[in-house]
Structures are given as C-alpha cells and as structure tokens.
C-alpha cells in the first residue's frame, strides 16, 4: 500500500487523530521548554553531528576497536550482514543458553529485523518488558512511534486491553494503576527468565562500553538479572570515545522525552565473572543495509540518527497520520528517509513524497540531519529508478520544455487565461486531486508581464 | 538602488497584482525597478519533485536571464530560498536574490513603507520564509508599521498549511487535513484577511477558504504594503 492510501484510513479515525494531536502537542511543548534552557544548544547539535560523522567516516576501524574492547572485557561479538543472519545468531545464542524464553528491552533494531516473530518461529518466546511495547505485543499491534510505540492508544483502550489479556478485573484507566498491573505481570518474567535481549543507544569503541537509556527501569532489570545478555545494535551506533557520551546523552534526553536527563542510563562493559550481572555477554552488530546508506554522500547523514523522535513529534504529516501509515519500522520524517534507504526504494517509493518539506524536522534534529535535503535527494532516486507515479515524468519534462523557452511560456500563459490547459492536459489528474478540497486560482485578464509590457516597458 | 524584479512564474501567471504591488513598494522606497523579460521559472518544483536535471537547466536559464543584476528582489520566499540555498549545489552559483521583506528590512533598513490597510489581518509565516530563508521578524516589523491595520494572533501559526508543492496533489488527503486545521485557526482568529509572503501557500489556503465560502480573503503581504487607501 502506498503512503497516501494508508494515510487515508488513519485520517478517517477521529480517536486516533485526537490521541496523536494531544500526545505530540504535549511532547513538543516539553521538548521546547527544556531545549530553551540550554544557551548553546546550536553548538551542542553541531558537536553531536560531528561526533557521529567522525564515527561514520571511520566506521570500519571504530567497529574493530569496539570488537577488540568487548572481547577484552570478556564479551563475544557477532557480525550480522542482514536481518536473517541476525535473527539466526540470536536464536542460536538463546538456545545455547539453555532457554526457550527471553525478556526484551524495547529495541528498534529488533523491530527492524522482526526478531520476535523469528524467535517464535524458532520456538522461543520473547517477552516485551517496556510498558508500551507490552501494550503493542498484547494487542497484536505494531508500534506507531519510535519512542512511544503505543502513542496511538489512549488510556481507556489500554485498560480494556489489560482486562482482556492480563486477566485483570476492575482496573481504572489511571496511568498509575495501569503501570501497576503491567508490573505485576512483568515481575515474574524478570525473576524467572535467564536470557535478556536489548538494543543499544551507543557503544563506545574506546572502552567497549554499551549504553542503554530508558525511563521505566525494565531495561536495567533485563540487562542485569539474566545470566545471559544479548545486545543487538546497528553498526552506526558506535561512538569513538567515552567522553562523547557527555554530548550525546543530554542531546538525546532533551530531544526525546523533553527531560534534562533520562531516568535510567545503563552502561556495561563485557561480562561479569563475579555474578553481579550477566556472566555471558554477546554483542550482535547489525548491518542490514547500513553500509549501502553510508556509500550515498547525501543519504549517509541519516545514519547520524539517535532515534530521539523529535522529528516525529513536530511533523505536521505524522501528527495527522500516525506511524502505521508509513508501513515501515521507522515512521515519521526519519522513517521517510531511513526506510527507503535501508529496505529498498521500491518497497517505500511513496515515503520520500510524504512531506511538505516544511523543515520542522531539521530544525529540531539534535544531530542536524537535513531531512528535507535527503527527502529531495531520495525523490530524485525514486524518479531515476522508474518508481515515480505514471505520467509524472512526461508531464514534468513537458512543463520544463515550456518553461525553458520564453515564447513557449508566454503561449502557455495565454492558454491558461483562456481556460485551456494546452500542453498541460496531462495535469488533469493532479488538478482533480487539488479540487477535492480547494478551488483553483482564476487566471487574471492580464499576466504581470503583459501589464509591464503595456505600462512600463 | 537598482533592482531586478523576479516575479516568479506563479505570480506572473495567476497573481499579477502581487507583482504590481511589489514594483510600487520598491519604487516608493526609492528603488529603480527593471523586469528582465527572459525570466520564466526558478526550477523549484522540478527540484523538489525529483527532477534535478530539468531543475538545473531551468536554473542555468534563470541565471542567464537575471545576469548582471546587483540585487534581485522577489515576492516569493520559497523561490528566493531555492535560488539562495539550492543553486550553489545545483549549478555552482547563487544570484544576489532577496525576498521582498528581507530586502526592505535588512538591505534597505526600511520598516515603514507608508502603507495604510484598515482591515483585520492574520499573518501566516510560511515554512520557507521561517525555516529556510529565516526571515525572522522582518514581515511582522513591516506589518507593524502599516497604518490602521488590526494584526490578530494566529494559533499554531508556524505549522505548515499543507501545500508543499506536488505534496498537495500526491497526498491530497493529508494536505487537506493540515489545511483544515490552518483554516480553523484562521477563522478562530477573527481576521478578514490572511496574509503571507508566498502566493503558493496563499493559493492553497485561499482555495480552501473559497471552497468553504468562509468569507476570509488571502492577500499577499506586498499588496498590504502597497495599499494606501
């Protein structure tokens, strides 16, 4: 399904529109407030972009440094060129740990490779422990936001879901009570399952430290209680130095949840032999299209992304359609540039056009990804790949021919005044789409150049 | 000061009154205005829709048509942004082009152009004027000096109206949803007139207002600055 078609059903759902507008407005205001506290925010953004660029332009070496450091600290490193390799490695590791269950921390990389489904096919049950991911999993639903996966649900819908799926009775839709119900359900898993699976926000090449931020503490439990910890991370998550975290963590927290610092920041380096933490640690490095993105000089800035979702929360398109309309792991403006590059232009050909290029995303991006510029670049790739809507290329080339000649242009103006579309007959389809909700402008009796010629020339 | 007017293909064809108003305002503040007749289109639509080769041909033609001008002024922030921000990468050079408002305020240091416009007005800061060209408060300063104008607050003013060039037809439903909210805020403001620095956005907003028979007009900011009635 193309984005415009998928968006149509989202737009027709008033509850969804209300939930999204309310939630994005709240997060937007919170972000704006905490960002305004930082006097040199623009310099922080530049520093964040520079750190990520430094890592990306030296990625092969930084990843080898990371591998060596993790191994030196007693961990194992696995290289996964694609989703199939990554899921096979993780399934093998879970089984080798003697388990048929795993507790999971919310991870976009895991969504990207379809890990839960792949594990289920291998006979392994994955339990999502993030509250919103649990809501999505229980509802047999898909996440609709990078950071707030159940943003499309309101508290009454969640209460009904918990009563249906967790065997809870008489719950009120108060957030505190809903969280307590989820906690009762999750505590048993935390204490009984021996394998944890997490993503990573950053990994430090210099020391081998892996960094995970979260708000609920479930991540801390998943990464410390099980005897085996498997961390899946995209190769673009590496930063060169430990000190880089001092720049990246505040950029992420303020942009993501509008907090000065996120509630839980977990850092671990390799495995522990003293029993305080997992005794086996595996780091799975996922490529899955990332080196192809890196090869594109304009598109590669997309790999700076630290998954804060600030661009989703300010996007006027996302606010109205929600995440499902993007039909990809990564929704919103960042999804519109990441998904086509990671999983194929053909599958996501309509996403680069799913933006007005209003620039709100670029303005808030903490690592200064020029999303409108990448969108425009990808639109050209869509056209070059023959994926543009039928007839568009012919119409655009015909229009260019008219505009490249003053005489042709002036003749077209005369035709427009007489209500004829002339060579622009091909525009009839687009005109019909315009007039669903808007009147067409009336061509005036005289063009500007006609007036100038008559009165001023 | 001698300035060359870049009218833009949209204004030339559909909104000549904006062009005449731009000439009047520029002459009122002492400029000598020329209109290089060979100009047609800056290539913005081709560039943004994914046709950079066609856009580059249009851009090179545009540079030739406006060659030699010491200052080019246009009543379109998005066309000015295309030429300033994207021409360097597209064709290796950017012409000295200015949006009318920033030209008046930043280049000439003029805020009061002697206008009188006795109507209630809501100003919609267009995305390219706000975030690409970063006009800042130049349009508001100019409006602030207009006599008898009643400037009204527009809620969520800096959110996009949903035009976005070919977005308006490729994603007509999302575009309409955005337009509906913009129109709602406009009607709530109580203004008789919605103004902006780009007729493309105003064509979108105005097209929606006329469909609804909402009784609110769209007027380009240049026309308010030219008004003395």
């Amino acid at each position: 399904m193309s984005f415009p078609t998928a968006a149509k059903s989202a737009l027709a759902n008033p509850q969804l529109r209300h939930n999204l507008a309310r939630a994005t407005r709240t997060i937007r205001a919170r972000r704006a407030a905490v960002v305004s506290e930082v006097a040199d925010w623009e310099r922080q953004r530049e520093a964040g972009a520079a750190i990520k660029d430094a890592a990306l332009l030296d990625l092969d070496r930084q990843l080898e440094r990371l591998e060596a450091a993790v191994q030196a600290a007693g961990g194992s490193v696995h290289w996964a060129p694609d989703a199939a390799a990554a899921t096979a490695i993780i399934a093998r590791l879970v089984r080798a740990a003697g388990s048929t269950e795993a507790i999971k921390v919310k991870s976009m990389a895991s969504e990207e490779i379809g890990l839960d489904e792949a594990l289920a096919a291998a006979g392994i049950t994955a339990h999502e422990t993030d509250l919103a991911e649990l809501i999505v999993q229980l509802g047999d639903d898909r996440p609709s936001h990078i950071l707030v996966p159940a943003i499309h649900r309101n508290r009454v819908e969640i209460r009904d879901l918990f009563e249906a799926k967790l065997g809870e009775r008489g719950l009120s839709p108060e957030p505190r009570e809903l969280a307590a119900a989820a906690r009762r359900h999750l505590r048993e898993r935390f204490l009984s399952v021996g394998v944890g699976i997490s993503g990573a926000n950053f990994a430090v090449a210099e020391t081998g430290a892996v960094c995970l931020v979260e708000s609920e503490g479930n991540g801390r439990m998943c990464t410390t209680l099980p005897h085996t910890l498997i961390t899946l991370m995209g190769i673009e998550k590496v930063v060169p130095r430990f000190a880089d975290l001092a720049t990246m963590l505040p950029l992420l927290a303020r942009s993501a949840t509008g907090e000065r610092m996120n509630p839980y920041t977990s850092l671990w380096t390799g495995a522990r032999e003293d029993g305080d933490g997992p005794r086996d640690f595996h780091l799975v490095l996922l490529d899955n299209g990332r080196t192809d993105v890196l090869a594109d000089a304009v598109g590669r800035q997309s790999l700076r992304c630290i998954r804060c979702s600030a661009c989703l929360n300010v996007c006027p398109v996302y606010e109205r359609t929600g995440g499902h309309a993007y039909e990809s792991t990564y929704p919103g403006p960042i999804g519109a540039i990441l998904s086509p590059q990671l999983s194929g232009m053909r599958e996501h050909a309509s996403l680069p056009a799913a933006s007005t290029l209003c620039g709100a995303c670029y303005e808030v991006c903490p690592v200064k990804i020029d999303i409108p510029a990448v969108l425009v670049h990808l639109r050209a790739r869509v056209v070059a790949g023959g994926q543009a809507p039928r007839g568009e290329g012919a119409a655009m080339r015909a229009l260019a021919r008219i505009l490249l000649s003053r005489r042709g242009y002036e003749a077209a103006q005369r035709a427009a005044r007489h209500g004829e579309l002339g060579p622009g007959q091909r525009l009839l389809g687009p005109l019909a789409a315009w007039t669903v909700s808007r009147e067409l402008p009336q061509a005036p009796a005289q063009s500007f150049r006609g007036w100038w010629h008559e009165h001023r020339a | 000061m001698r300035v060359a007017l870049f009218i833009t293909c949209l204004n030339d064809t559909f909104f000549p009154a904006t062009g005449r108003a731009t000439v009047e305002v520029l002459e009122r503040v002492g400029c000598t205005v020329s209109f290089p007749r060979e100009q047609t289109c800056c290539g913005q639509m081709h560039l943004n829709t994914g046709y950079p080769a066609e856009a580059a041909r249009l851009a090179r033609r545009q540079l030739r048509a406006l060659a030699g001008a010491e200052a080019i002024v246009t009543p379109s922030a998005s066309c000015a942004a295309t030429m300033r921000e994207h021409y360097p990468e597209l064709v290796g050079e950017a012409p000295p082009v200015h949006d009318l408002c920033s030209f008046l305020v930043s280049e000439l240091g003029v805020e009061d152009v002697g206008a009188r416009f006795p109507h209630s007005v809501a100003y919609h800061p267009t995305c390219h004027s706000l975030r690409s060209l970063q006009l800042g408060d130049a349009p508001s300063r100019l409006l602030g000096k207009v006599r008898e104008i009643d400037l009204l607050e527009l809620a969520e003013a800096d959110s996009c109206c949903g035009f976005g060039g070919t977005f308006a037809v490729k994603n007509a439903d999302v575009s309409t949803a955005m337009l509906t909210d913009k129109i709602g805020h406009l009607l709530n403001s109580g203004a008789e007139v919605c103004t902006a620095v780009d007729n493309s956005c105003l064509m979108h907003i105005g097209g929606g207002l006329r469909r609804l028979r909402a009784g609110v007009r769209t007027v380009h900011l240049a026309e308010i600055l030219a008004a003395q009635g």
Side-chain angles (χ1 to χ4, degrees):
Chain A
M1 208 187 289
S2 69
F3 180 82
T5 311
K8 214 179 173 72
S9 59
L11 290 166
N13 181 342
Q15 181 68 64
L16 175 70
R17 293 277 293 278
H18 178 80
N19 294 354
L20 281 169
R22 192 186 154 106
T24 53
R25 249 178 229 141
T26 307
I27 310 178
R28 276 206 297 273
R30 216 186 287 160
R31 178 203 161 273
V34 297
V35 162
S36 69
E37 296 172 349
V38 184
D40 64 345
W41 181 252
E42 287 309 309
R43 286 181 56 192
Q44 295 296 325
R45 292 175 74 207
E46 273 156 29
I51 287 168
K52 293 295 285 189
D53 279 351
L56 290 169
L57 295 176
D58 188 30
L59 192 58
D60 49 349
R61 206 174 65 89
Q62 297 298 339
L63 288 171
E64 284 175 0
R65 286 178 74 204
L66 175 66
E67 178 183 39
V70 169
Q71 287 169 345
S76 306
V77 176
H78 310 263
W79 298 80
D82 55 28
T87 54
I89 290 166
I90 294 170
R92 178 169 55 75
L93 291 171
V94 176
R95 276 198 298 264
S99 183
T100 54
E101 285 181 280
I103 46 174
K104 284 187 66 204
V105 199
K106 178 180 140 37
S107 149
M108 291 309 292
S110 141
E111 292 287 341
E112 179 186 322
I113 64 171
L115 183 58
D116 289 8
E117 296 79 1
L119 288 178
I124 296 161
T125 309
H127 304 284
E128 293 291 347
T129 63
D130 173 86
L131 177 52
E133 286 288 351
L134 177 68
I135 293 164
V136 168
Q137 193 177 39
L138 290 175
D140 206 10
D141 200 355
R142 287 173 302 129
S144 67
H145 188 282
I146 291 174
L147 201 72
V148 196
I151 196 169
H152 56 293
R153 299 282 203 184
N154 68 21
R155 55 181 75 171
V156 175
E157 294 173 284
I158 294 164
R159 190 267 317 269
D160 295 347
L161 182 68
F162 280 9
E163 291 201 338
K165 293 291 175 75
L166 295 185
E168 297 279 347
R169 289 286 170 271
L171 278 180
S172 88
E174 284 309 306
R176 180 185 293 269
E177 205 169 310
L178 295 174
R183 179 174 292 161
R184 284 192 290 277
H185 171 73
L186 289 170
R187 272 294 144 95
E188 288 171 39
R189 318 267 181 236
F190 286 130
L191 296 171
S192 63
V193 178
V195 179
I197 299 175
S198 84
N201 292 94
F202 306 98
V204 180
E206 175 181 56
T207 65
V210 176
C211 178
L212 180 80
V213 304
E214 34 114 18
S215 302
E216 299 171 12
N218 65 305
R220 177 71 54 83
M221 289 202 265
C222 285
T223 55
T224 53
L225 290 174
H227 55 73
T228 300
L229 172 61
I230 304 164
T231 295
L232 169 71
M233 67 169 246
I235 51 175
E236 82 284 17
K237 296 283 173 192
V238 67
V239 294
R241 303 173 313 145
F242 194 81
D244 293 334
L245 296 178
T247 303
M248 303 312 298
L249 288 172
L251 278 173
L252 177 56
R254 287 183 193 256
S255 302
T257 46
E259 292 165 302
R260 296 185 182 95
M261 194 68 195
N262 52 282
Y264 292 86
T265 301
S266 299
L267 282 147
W268 64 93
T269 308
R272 300 283 296 234
E273 285 167 5
D274 59 8
D276 184 16
R279 59 172 189 264
D280 287 311
F281 171 60
H282 299 274
L283 182 62
V284 181
L285 297 172
L286 176 71
D287 185 324
N288 209 28
R290 286 162 174 77
T291 46
D292 293 336
V293 183
L294 197 56
D296 182 324
V298 179
R300 70 168 61 119
Q301 57 185 307
S302 321
L303 295 178
R304 287 186 204 146
C305 176
I306 54 175
R307 311 287 188 261
C308 73
S309 334
C311 63
L312 276 63
N313 301 330
V314 298
C315 177
V317 175
Y318 177 88
E319 180 185 332
R320 278 138 188 115
T321 66
H324 291 159
Y326 293 80
E327 298 189 313
S328 69
T329 306
Y330 304 100
I334 188 63
I337 62 171
L338 261 185
S339 299
Q341 295 190 86
L342 284 178
S343 34
M345 303 298 287
R346 183 174 291 273
E347 194 183 338
H348 298 294
S350 64
L351 287 188
S355 163
T356 63
L357 307 178
C358 83
C361 47
Y362 180 30
E363 194 173 53
V364 297
C365 178
V367 287
K368 297 193 78 161
I369 302 169
D370 189 343
I371 294 177
V374 180
L375 285 167
V376 167
H377 172 70
L378 295 179
R379 288 176 184 186
R381 278 181 58 184
V382 168
V383 170
Q387 310 286 321
R390 201 163 19 159
E392 180 186 279
M396 293 300 284
R397 279 186 291 275
L399 186 58
R401 272 195 299 278
I402 293 168
L403 295 168
L404 280 164
S405 134
R406 176 172 61 80
R407 295 164 74 98
Y409 168 74
E410 289 176 354
Q413 284 188 315
R414 284 192 293 275
R417 269 200 302 286
H418 296 114
E420 297 158 13
L421 295 166
Q425 285 292 354
R426 286 195 187 87
L427 289 172
L428 268 179
L431 285 185
W434 177 269
T435 54
V436 289
S437 56
R438 298 149 290 210
E439 297 295 316
L440 284 167
Q442 299 296 309
Q446 191 175 41
S447 67
F448 173 80
R449 65 181 55 218
W451 172 82
W452 181 276
H453 188 67
E454 199 176 309
H455 298 273
R456 309 296 299 264
Chain B
M1 190 170 185
R2 299 172 62 83
V3 302
L5 173 68
F6 168 43
I7 181 66
T8 82
C9 56
L10 183 76
N11 288 324
D12 188 9
T13 308
F14 290 106
F15 303 100
T18 299
R20 296 195 297 272
T22 304
V23 173
E24 180 168 340
V25 171
L26 286 169
E27 289 181 344
R28 202 189 292 153
V29 299
C31 294
T32 305
V33 182
S34 67
F35 176 70
R37 193 181 169 189
E38 277 300 313
Q39 63 179 274
T40 57
C41 167
C42 67
Q44 179 184 187
M45 185 166 93
H46 285 84
L47 181 65
N48 287 348
T49 309
Y51 297 84
E54 284 76 11
R57 292 176 67 194
L58 287 164
R60 278 190 288 270
R61 192 185 179 286
Q62 173 80 342
L63 286 174
R64 279 197 306 277
L66 299 170
E70 55 181 303
I72 302 162
V73 175
T74 182
S76 164
S78 65
C79 298
T82 296
M83 294 164 73
R84 285 177 82 105
E85 309 294 319
H86 302 301
Y87 272 22
E89 201 181 321
L90 193 63
V91 289
E93 61 175 302
V97 63
H98 308 271
D99 157 84
L100 174 66
C101 294
S102 59
F103 181 74
L104 292 170
V105 174
S106 307
E107 300 296 311
L108 301 182
V110 174
E111 290 182 11
D112 186 347
V113 296
R116 177 179 169 273
F117 192 74
H119 301 281
S120 58
V121 174
Y123 167 60
H124 165 62
T126 66
C127 300
H128 285 109
S129 72
L130 199 66
R131 288 179 278 263
S132 190
L133 215 50
Q134 308 202 324
L135 288 192
D137 59 355
S140 300
R141 283 172 179 231
L142 289 161
L143 285 172
K145 293 284 161 48
V146 174
R147 283 151 196 80
E148 293 176 49
I149 196 170
D150 181 14
L151 279 174
L152 298 173
E153 183 94 8
L154 179 64
E156 295 186 25
D158 59 2
S159 71
C160 179
C161 72
F163 173 61
T166 45
F167 177 87
V169 290
K170 284 188 177 179
N171 284 281
D173 294 307
V174 186
S175 172
T176 295
M178 292 163 69
L179 176 63
T180 305
D181 290 344
K182 180 60 70 182
I183 286 179
H185 293 311
L186 271 171
L187 297 181
N188 284 338
S189 78
E192 299 161 65
V193 170
C194 169
T195 193
V197 294
D198 231 312
N199 270 330
S200 51
C201 311
L202 287 177
M203 174 176 79
H204 182 237
I205 297 170
L209 287 167
R210 281 192 288 128
R211 170 61 55 87
L212 294 171
R213 310 283 187 266
V216 177
R217 289 185 291 147
T218 49
V219 177
H220 191 285
L221 202 140
E223 294 171 48
I224 293 180
L225 298 182
Q228 292 187 304

